[in-house]
Amino acid sequence: MRKRLTRSSTDRFIAGVCGGLGEYFGVDSTWIRLAFVALIPFSYFLSVLVYIVCIFLIPENRNIQHTDIKGNMNDILHRLHHRIENRDTHDRSKKGRK
């Protein structure tokens, strides 16, 4: 599976940009935050502008769970069939007691 750069939805202070960069590069996000802050006086606040641009360019990680729809439908149909069979046998046993 290909690794994607996304903003973190869990490791965030402002918008999750540094958390997402940390997850992507396998580095603690604290180091990336410190680098952004350290660059502010030396870059004439260009790092703040880069952070704001990253907020809009990097998509947010929404933790969407990918499912196998065919497998889920088979499971649902199997359980439904099992319930119908159990109801039929339960109804037959009630009729026999009367």
Side-chain angles (χ1 to χ4, degrees), residues 13-30:
F13 275 100
I14 298 173
V17 172
C18 294
L21 288 170
E23 289 173 6
Y24 184 76
F25 291 113
V27 179
D28 187 12
S29 60
T30 305

Side-chain angles (χ1 to χ4, degrees), residues 6-37:
T6 58
R7 290 185 290 133
S8 177
S9 58
T10 55
D11 185 13
R12 63 189 320 162
F13 275 100
I14 298 173
V17 172
C18 294
L21 288 170
E23 289 173 6
Y24 184 76
F25 291 113
V27 179
D28 187 12
S29 60
T30 305
W31 293 110
I32 296 177
R33 288 184 184 102
L34 288 173
F36 265 106
V37 170

Side-chain angles (χ1 to χ4, degrees), residues 36-50:
F36 265 106
V37 170
L39 287 174
I40 289 174
F42 300 111
S43 66
Y44 299 104
F45 296 94
L46 185 62
S47 60
V48 174
L49 180 64
V50 168

Side-chain angles (χ1 to χ4, degrees), residues 26-92:
V27 179
D28 187 12
S29 60
T30 305
W31 293 110
I32 296 177
R33 288 184 184 102
L34 288 173
F36 265 106
V37 170
L39 287 174
I40 289 174
F42 300 111
S43 66
Y44 299 104
F45 296 94
L46 185 62
S47 60
V48 174
L49 180 64
V50 168
Y51 188 90
I52 292 170
V53 168
C54 286
I55 291 173
F56 294 105
L57 291 181
I58 301 174
E60 186 173 4
N61 182 8
R62 301 202 183 257
N63 293 328
I64 298 172
Q65 184 179 14
H66 297 284
T67 59
D68 176 24
I69 189 71
K70 188 176 180 180
N72 286 347
M73 286 303 293
N74 285 338
D75 186 43
I76 291 169
L77 291 173
H78 178 72
R79 280 191 268 155
L80 182 63
H81 180 64
H82 188 267
R83 282 186 181 177
I84 290 171
E85 282 182 350
N86 285 345
R87 187 179 335 152
D88 287 344
T89 57
H90 183 69
D91 290 344
R92 289 179 193 151

